[in-house]
Amino acid sequence: MALIAPRVAAGLPAEDAQNLRYALSGSHDITVFVDGTVHRLPPAARDAVVDLLGRFSRGEAVTVSSVEEMLTTSQAAELAGISHTYLRNMTDRGEIPVEYRGTHRRIRLADIMAWLETQKKNAPPEGAGDGAATEGPGPRE
């Protein structure tokens, strides 16, 4: 996947992670100050910041990077956690929109993110179910 200037941060020490976890518990309101000025983040940015802080609060190491808007099928498949072949088959069936640059397929980041969100909504809740395997591939971890 085309990562642009990734930045890796080690996990927080246990005490700092615990303090952050306590601060985040029950709250998803994040206030951002830049040079003393308050900024309200749009929901998608706020959710990304809360997710980042949540990962730090669990002591996880985190990588932050940018992703190009138009992805190759390999990049899109890696992002979605599915095989390149499965993704190509979905584009052939019209399940995920694709643009062609010559003979090469390109997929918009927003289309992959929308597909992932659909998968998340259609997935059974964690811990639910009778232990039987579910049909069809979903995002890998």
Side-chain angles (χ1 to χ4, degrees), residues 37-119:
T37 303
V38 175
H39 294 275
R40 283 244 176 244
L41 297 175
R46 182 199 62 233
D47 292 347
V49 169
V50 169
D51 181 62
L52 174 77
L53 294 173
R55 290 169 191 261
F56 274 129
S57 76
R58 294 187 297 272
E60 298 174 18
V62 175
T63 300
V64 177
S65 65
S66 299
V67 179
E68 297 174 12
E69 285 296 313
M70 294 299 288
L71 307 172
T72 66
T73 52
S74 294
Q75 293 166 334
E78 183 179 338
L79 179 64
I82 58 177
S83 75
H84 177 263
T85 303
Y86 185 71
L87 179 70
R88 262 194 351 253
N89 290 338
M90 287 195 307
T91 64
D92 290 344
R93 291 189 301 263
E95 295 173 27
I96 293 182
V98 64
E99 294 180 21
Y100 285 89
R101 304 281 166 86
T103 59
H104 300 282
R105 301 171 203 229
R106 295 292 181 264
I107 299 169
R108 292 190 179 284
L109 173 62
D111 292 331
I112 287 296
M113 298 310 287
W115 180 81
L116 284 169
E117 192 61 33
T118 301
Q119 296 302 302

